[in-house]
């Protein structure tokens, strides 16, 4: 580009992925003498949410919402050994480095991480400006991108339009159109004057709208459930009081404020996500994969090519799980049944709801005790072996080493939910709090495989479990304790709709050739090239200058919602930083 021309880049989405991209842009400008003059570059950063944290990590949110990883884990910039492959910028810091304290095994409030992201974003922008880059923050939604002379026209919700040469999409969690049961519940709520809260980011939900003492049916007991639980209890003035010398699972007593609703929660397992171990580390020290190794996978690929997960890889992962379990439990220990551990009540029946509540209290106490035991728990360490394998599997999927049909029908269909429910749960504090709330009658549990329906005659929602005898629960409220589905094909986004209409993007497809019904299967994210992940248009060709980062890479990757690990490998646990780095390098190569 001529020195007289200005190159205009827009970064759409200013949360963690957008901030990482800007930090990588700065790193290339600082470390590469071959990059053209930064004075040619103007960057439009577009997001109505606070720039840096975005919506999910907004520093204004309740301090009751906790991170799901210890403070030592996440980063939005390369640190430690990651810098051996990704050169740092002058402001590269991890969350723990920014905090500057020695205690990194705690689970901080999410708004604390939001403050880190705010600092990093502001520091990066200042350094970019010091180098002559024009950075223009725009607090509005991007509603469209259309082809224009020399690039694209960016359209904003506030009515403004900008001519840009390139765009980096860092969209994060996007609302989704309601389909299936969710659509039916929404229509029933409108028709019968009921209250339905669809899948949402917790910070977008107004929990104060739920009246005191209302019964609320809750669908899902994953991480969003714990946010709901804490916000309508402690968030309404209730208190968790320590019980001296009590065993795990009974360490807290809940004192109600009298303003709490009653939550009746259900999930397919009948239980919430299991708590993380109290042992330090994202993968605790001592976990070693001896079967699911790079060499073992390479040998299998030499013979079979892209691998069927269930046939070739799951046996290796399970062998590591069993070895880890026996190492801690002792040689005479029985085989660890992972599936039964994940669904402990699938073969049980209960004569009443009261009986099931007692069974669940026992389950909560057992889970809290196992987590508190740290590296002494054979079950929790076995699950951490599976968690470690998940991180390696992520790299195999990204490299195309897993058969596409196997990824859809095995990894995404059952392994993903298995490992998330067992190894991606909350800190043990949340299980202690849930047990206290259950003893106080604030939370009750439906049972495995619950059915949520609309009782037209009684004008209410209803729910029960086939495993628990008794009358169904009925309520005027139904809340989905889950995030919107990460699928671009159902995204409620004007920007994504227009990208499809303009032919600039298309959903990813898995090309199945191993079965009789050969043909493409729809993926979750955009169809993209390999790094630097340019969008592929309707004509099958790359849309030059349009890049995707983060969640919308889910057709090309797996586990895109997980933050980068401080000091992690750019091919696995710090992949999001490598993606941002590749996009930044490609953009600067266009100057």
């Amino acid at each position: 580009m001529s020195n007289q021309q200005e190159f205009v880049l827009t970064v759409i989405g200013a949360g963690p992925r957008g901030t990482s991209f800007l930090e990588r842009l700065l790193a290339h400008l600082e470390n590469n003498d071959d990059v053209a003059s930064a004075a040619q570059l103007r960057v439009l950063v577009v997001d109505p949410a606070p720039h840096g944290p975005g919506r999910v990590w907004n520093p204004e949110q309740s301090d009751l919402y906790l991170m799901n990883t210890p403070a030592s884990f996440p980063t939005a910039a390369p640190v430690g050994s990651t810098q051996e492959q990704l050169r740092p910028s002058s402001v590269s810091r991890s969350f723990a480095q920014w905090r500057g304290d020695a205690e990194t095994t705690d689970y901080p409030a999410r708004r604390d991480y939001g403050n880190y992201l705010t600092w990093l974003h502001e520091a990066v922008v200042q350094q970019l400006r010091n180098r002559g880059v024009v950075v223009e923050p725009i607090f509005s939604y991007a509603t469209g991108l259309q082809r224009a002379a020399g690039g694209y026209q960016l359209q904003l919700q506030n009515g403004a339009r900008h001519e840009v040469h390139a765009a980096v999409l860092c969209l994060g969690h996007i609302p989704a159109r309601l389909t299936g049961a969710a659509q039916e519940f929404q229509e029933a709520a409108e028709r019968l004057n009921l209250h339905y809260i669809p899948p949402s980011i917790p910070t977008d939900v107004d929990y104060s709208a739920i009246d005191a003492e209302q019964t609320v049916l809750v669908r899902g007991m994953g991480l969003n459930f714990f946010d709901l639980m804490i916000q309508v209890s402690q968030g309404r003035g209730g208190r968790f009081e320590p019980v001296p010398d009590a065993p795990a699972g009974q360490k807290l007593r809940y004192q109600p404020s009298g303003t709490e609703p009653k939550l009746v929660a259900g999930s397919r397992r009948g239980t919430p996500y299991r708590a993380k171990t109290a042992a330090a580390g994202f993968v605790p020290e001592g976990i070693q994969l001896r079967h699911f190794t790079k060499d073992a996978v390479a040998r299998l690929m030499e013979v079979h090519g892209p691998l069927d997960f269930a046939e070739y890889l799951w046996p290796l992962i399970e062998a590591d799980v069993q070895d880890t379990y026996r190492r801690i439990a002792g040689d005479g220990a029985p085989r660890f049944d992972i599936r039964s551990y994940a669904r402990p009540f699938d073969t049980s029946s209960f004569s009443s709801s009261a009986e099931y509540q007692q069974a669940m209290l026992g389950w909560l106490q057992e889970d809290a005790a196992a987590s508190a035991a740290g590296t002494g728990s054979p079950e929790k360490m076995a699950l951490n072996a599976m968690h470690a394998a998940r991180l390696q599997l992520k790299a195999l999927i990204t490299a195309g080493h897993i058969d596409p049909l196997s990824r859809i029908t095995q990894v995404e269909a059952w392994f993903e939910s298995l490992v998330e429910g067992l190894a991606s749960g909350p800190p043990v504090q949340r299980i202690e709090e849930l047990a206290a709330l259950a003893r106080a009658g604030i939370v009750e549990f439906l049972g495995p495989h619950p059915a949520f329906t609309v009782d037209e005659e009684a004008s209410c929602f209803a729910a029960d479990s086939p495993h628990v005898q008794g009358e169904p629960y009925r309520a005027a409220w139904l809340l989905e304790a889950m995030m919107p589905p990460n699928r671009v094909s159902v995204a409620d986004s004007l920007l994504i709709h227009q990208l499809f209409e303009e032919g600039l993007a298309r959903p990813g497809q898995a090309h199945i050739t191993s079965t009789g019904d050969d043909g493409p299967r729809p993926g979750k994210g955009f169809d993209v090239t390999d790094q630097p992940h340019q969008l592929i248009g309707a004509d099958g060709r790359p849309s030059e200058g349009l890049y995707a980062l983060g969640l919308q890479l889910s057709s090309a990757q797996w586990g895109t919602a997980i933050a980068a690990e401080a000091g992690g490998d750019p091919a696995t646990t710090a992949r999001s930083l490598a993606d941002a780095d590749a996009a930044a390098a490609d953009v600067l190569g266009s100057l």
Side-chain angles (χ1 to χ4, degrees):
M1 175 179 286
S2 163
N3 286 338
Q4 304 305 312
Q5 284 185 294
E6 181 180 56
F7 188 94
V8 183
L9 165 69
T10 182
V11 179
I12 302 176
R17 299 299 189 275
T19 297
S20 289
F21 171 80
L22 292 174
E23 190 275 334
R24 292 291 78 210
L25 196 70
L26 173 63
H28 280 279
L29 290 172
E30 290 178 334
N31 292 310
N32 192 343
D33 293 334
D34 295 332
V35 171
S37 171
Q40 298 174 275
L41 183 60
R42 182 159 67 103
V43 183
L44 311 179
V45 184
V46 180
D47 197 324
H51 289 194
R55 286 187 300 158
V56 171
W57 305 101
N58 190 333
E60 299 302 316
Q61 68 187 280
S62 168
D63 62 359
L64 296 177
Y65 294 144
L66 299 182
M67 295 182 66
N68 192 41
T69 58
S72 59
F73 177 79
T75 187
V79 297
S81 59
T82 311
Q83 295 180 355
E84 295 172 6
Q85 298 179 61
L86 303 178
R87 296 182 67 182
S89 73
S90 57
V91 296
S92 291
R93 305 284 190 283
S94 70
F95 178 46
Q97 289 174 335
W98 173 79
R99 292 211 316 175
D101 58 23
E103 180 55 63
T104 59
T105 60
D106 63 319
Y107 289 77
R110 290 209 289 265
R111 71 180 190 181
D112 291 347
Y113 192 64
N115 284 323
Y116 156 73
L117 291 168
T118 299
W119 168 84
L120 181 62
H121 183 89
E122 291 175 352
V124 167
V125 168
Q126 185 58 55
Q127 291 301 318
L128 286 170
R129 287 171 174 162
N130 289 347
R131 299 189 69 85
V133 178
V134 176
V135 182
E136 181 180 344
I138 300 175
F139 291 91
S140 180
Y141 282 106
T143 56
L145 277 169
Q146 294 178 309
R147 289 186 179 89
Y152 304 93
Q153 183 183 81
L154 169 68
Q155 301 154 20
L156 301 175
Q157 189 179 54
N158 63 16
R161 295 172 182 264
H162 298 270
E163 302 299 318
V164 302
H165 296 92
V168 182
L169 308 183
C170 308
L171 305 180
H173 292 283
I174 298 172
R177 299 192 307 275
L178 298 183
T179 60
Q183 184 177 11
E184 294 174 8
F185 292 145
Q186 181 66 66
E187 292 171 352
E190 295 171 356
R191 185 174 65 253
L192 302 174
N193 195 29
L194 303 175
H195 304 275
Y196 174 67
I197 299 178
S200 307
I201 297 172
T203 51
D204 288 348
V205 179
D206 180 12
Y207 294 124
S208 67
I210 303 173
D211 294 333
E213 300 183 352
Q214 284 283 343
T215 297
V216 180
L217 303 180
V218 182
R219 193 159 78 147
M221 285 195 282
L223 298 176
N224 282 30
F225 167 73
F226 292 99
D227 289 343
L228 161 69
M229 171 198 88
I230 203 68
Q231 199 59 44
V232 300
S233 57
Q234 190 175 359
R236 293 192 175 190
R239 300 191 315 277
F240 291 101
E241 299 176 345
V243 179
D245 303 321
Q250 303 178 51
K251 290 184 175 300
L252 296 175
R253 180 187 300 111
Y254 184 70
Q255 293 294 337
S257 67
T259 62
E260 299 89 346
K262 178 179 180 178
L263 304 182
V264 181
S267 69
R268 284 175 294 180
R269 297 179 180 88
T271 62
Y273 277 18
R274 285 188 178 270
K276 286 188 173 68
T277 177
F282 192 59
V283 175
E285 187 175 347
I287 298 296
Q288 185 175 353
L289 302 179
R290 295 184 172 88
H291 300 275
F292 186 53
T293 64
K294 291 181 180 179
D295 288 344
V297 172
R299 288 193 296 270
L300 288 168
M301 288 192 60
E302 286 179 3
V303 177
H304 305 287
L307 298 171
D308 182 276
F309 173 77
E311 183 173 359
Y312 297 113
L313 301 183
W314 173 245
L316 300 179
I317 294 172
E318 191 169 24
D320 281 316
V321 168
Q322 299 300 335
D323 280 0
T324 304
Y325 181 82
R326 285 191 295 268
R327 176 171 56 83
I328 299 169
D331 292 338
R335 180 179 175 276
F336 179 46
D337 189 339
I338 306 172
R339 303 297 182 95
S340 295
Y341 195 70
R343 297 178 179 272
F345 300 122
D346 265 13
T347 59
S348 303
S349 60
F350 300 88
S351 61
S352 67
S353 174
E355 184 182 357
Y356 187 66
Q357 306 315 310
Q358 287 303 310
M360 275 300 304
L361 274 175
W363 183 94
L364 292 167
Q365 291 167 14
E366 171 270 323
D367 192 59
S371 292
T375 57
S377 166
E379 295 87 0
K380 293 292 180 176
M381 289 302 99
L383 299 180
N384 271 280
M386 185 167 64
H387 172 52
R390 170 175 64 167
L391 302 178
Q392 300 305 315
L393 181 64
K394 179 178 178 180
L396 296 177
I397 290 174
T398 301
H401 296 333
I402 308 299
D403 176 79
L405 180 63
S406 175
R407 173 184 170 175
I408 293 172
T409 62
Q410 297 165 3
V411 176
E412 294 180 359
W414 61 265
F415 179 71
E416 184 172 59
S417 62
L418 178 71
V419 71
E420 286 184 354
L422 294 179
S424 293
V428 66
Q429 170 188 341
R430 288 294 189 237
I431 297 297
E432 291 280 2
E433 291 164 344
L434 177 56
L437 290 170
R439 287 190 292 270
I442 304 298
V443 176
E444 290 190 19
F445 306 98
L446 280 168
H449 306 285
F452 292 83
T453 58
V454 177
D455 187 330
E456 297 280 354
E457 185 175 344
S459 295
C460 65
F461 296 113
D464 62 0
S465 165
H467 293 254
V468 181
Q469 297 181 29
E471 288 295 309
Y473 287 90
R474 292 180 171 85
W477 284 83
L478 173 58
L479 188 149
E480 306 272 14
M482 60 190 73
M483 300 291 269
N486 176 32
R487 287 189 175 273
V488 295
S489 59
V490 297
D492 189 10
S493 162
L494 292 174
L495 173 62
I496 290 179
H497 291 172
Q498 191 178 68
L499 287 170
F500 290 155
E501 290 173 3
E502 290 286 312
L504 295 172
R506 66 184 185 184
Q509 296 180 333
H511 296 279
I512 310 301
T513 60
S514 57
T515 62
D517 59 342
D518 294 354
R521 301 280 185 94
K524 295 179 180 179
F526 288 123
D527 196 4
V528 295
T529 67
D530 292 336
Q531 281 185 345
H533 298 314
Q534 289 188 327
L535 298 182
I536 294 178
D539 59 2
R541 294 184 295 180
S543 296
E544 296 293 332
L546 295 187
Y547 307 85
L549 295 176
L551 289 181
Q552 284 72 46
L553 291 179
S554 52
S555 289
Q557 299 180 14
W558 183 58
T560 53
I562 302 175
E565 179 184 17
D569 182 350
T572 55
T573 58
R575 176 76 189 198
S576 63
L577 299 183
D579 290 339
D581 188 81
D586 204 63
V587 167
L588 290 175
S590 302
L591 268 65

